[in-house]
Amino acid sequence: MANTNFRPKYVSFDCYGTLINFDIDPTTRRLLAGRLPEEQWPAFKKVFRGYRFDEVCGDYKPYEQILQDSFDRVCKRWGIGPTEGAGAEFAEAVRGWVAHEDVPAPLKLMGENYKMVILSNADDSFLDISVPKLGADFHAVHTAEQAQAYKPRYQAFEYMLDTLNAEPEDFLHVSSHTRYDMMPMHDMGFRNLVLLDRGYDPITAGYDYTTVNSLDELNKLLGL
């Protein structure tokens, strides 16, 4: 897609991590206070991320429950008992997260030239709070709650396609996550994929996505 002649019908985005800063570490550390040796924190953090991915691959359940169950599962791996109310604390933290500093200005410019869409792995109540922090207008905001499925499950992407009466070629999709977005979307026939590299996932070959380091860089590729 790296030419200024390409004009997608929709520019779609992942929200948390890509547009909103996914700042889960402070809450995780607070919930683990006194229960995990400091030298084990890097490994715990990595495995916790893996369990969050595993949890969203099953049947739909509310995002707060995803957070509770994934935290309890990784804690069990470390011999730490379940933490009542952890999901609610994580959920409250998510609602307090803010946009990455490099997002609002270029996103506003993009929104003045393209119909923008969000497809997010969370419930409506989270997006109702987070989207206004982005400082741009969106044509549609789709959630896992609406789709009754989380990315990377195809049902989440099919919901977006069906709701907009659109095809994969109508989209340019932007995400900072390869496993949640780039890989399943490529397998479904999406070809205009952009990885906004925020260091979450390693850059992988074979999935035909363009990698950028900022939305400003993407705007230039779109001729803005």
Side-chain angles (χ1 to χ4, degrees):
M1 51 76 49
N3 72 79
T4 56
N5 295 318
F6 174 63
R7 290 191 62 85
K9 185 174 181 179
Y10 301 105
V11 179
S12 53
F13 291 89
D14 166 69
C15 183
Y16 295 105
T18 303
L19 301 177
I20 296 288
N21 184 17
F22 195 90
D23 191 22
I24 200 168
D25 289 356
T27 304
T28 309
R29 281 185 171 276
R30 186 174 69 251
L31 289 169
L32 289 171
R35 298 197 291 170
L36 182 77
E38 179 62 29
E39 64 270 17
Q40 294 184 24
W41 165 249
F44 185 99
K45 175 181 174 180
K46 182 177 181 180
V47 176
F48 182 28
R49 185 165 186 249
Y51 273 112
R52 293 197 303 274
F53 180 82
D54 187 66
E55 280 292 321
V56 299
C57 291
D59 293 339
Y60 172 80
K61 51 189 170 183
Y63 189 51
E64 182 176 315
Q65 194 65 49
I66 293 285
L67 294 166
Q68 177 74 55
D69 292 349
S70 56
F71 186 66
D72 284 344
R73 288 176 68 193
V74 68
C75 283
K76 185 178 179 181
R77 283 273 301 273
W78 260 262
I80 299 171
T83 306
E84 185 177 351
E89 290 200 41
F90 281 122
E92 185 63 25
V94 173
R95 295 185 183 99
W97 294 345
V98 298
H100 286 286
E101 290 183 359
D102 61 352
V103 162
L107 193 67
K108 185 175 186 297
L109 174 61
M110 194 179 298
E112 291 169 351
N113 291 273
Y114 290 96
K115 290 181 178 180
M116 299 194 305
V117 175
I118 282 177
L119 179 61
S120 176
N121 265 8
D123 301 338
D124 292 356
S125 62
F126 291 87
L127 277 298
D128 289 345
I129 292 171
S130 296
V131 171
K133 299 177 183 180
L134 298 174
D137 294 327
F138 285 87
H139 176 74
V141 176
H142 303 308
T143 68
E145 180 181 10
Q146 296 166 22
Q148 289 293 288
Y150 290 90
K151 302 177 291 183
R153 294 193 59 201
Y154 288 7
Q155 183 177 330
F157 304 105
E158 289 169 343
Y159 177 82
M160 179 175 71
L161 292 172
D162 293 345
T163 303
L164 294 172
N165 191 27
E167 300 294 334
E169 55 266 27
D170 294 328
F171 292 84
L172 185 151
H173 185 75
V174 185
S175 176
S176 295
H177 310 287
T178 56
R179 290 197 298 173
Y180 287 94
D181 293 73
M182 302 289 104
M183 293 177 181
M185 294 184 83
H186 180 271
D187 290 346
M188 292 182 70
F190 290 84
R191 288 296 177 267
N192 302 308
L193 301 173
V194 175
L195 180 72
L196 176 54
D197 185 13
R198 297 201 184 276
Y200 294 122
D201 294 339
I203 306 299
T204 56
Y207 290 93
D208 300 332
Y209 55 77
T210 298
T211 301
V212 300
N213 293 309
S214 68
L215 290 182
D216 281 323
E217 184 179 344
L218 177 57
N219 276 341
K220 290 177 182 177
L221 291 177
L222 290 169
L224 301 180

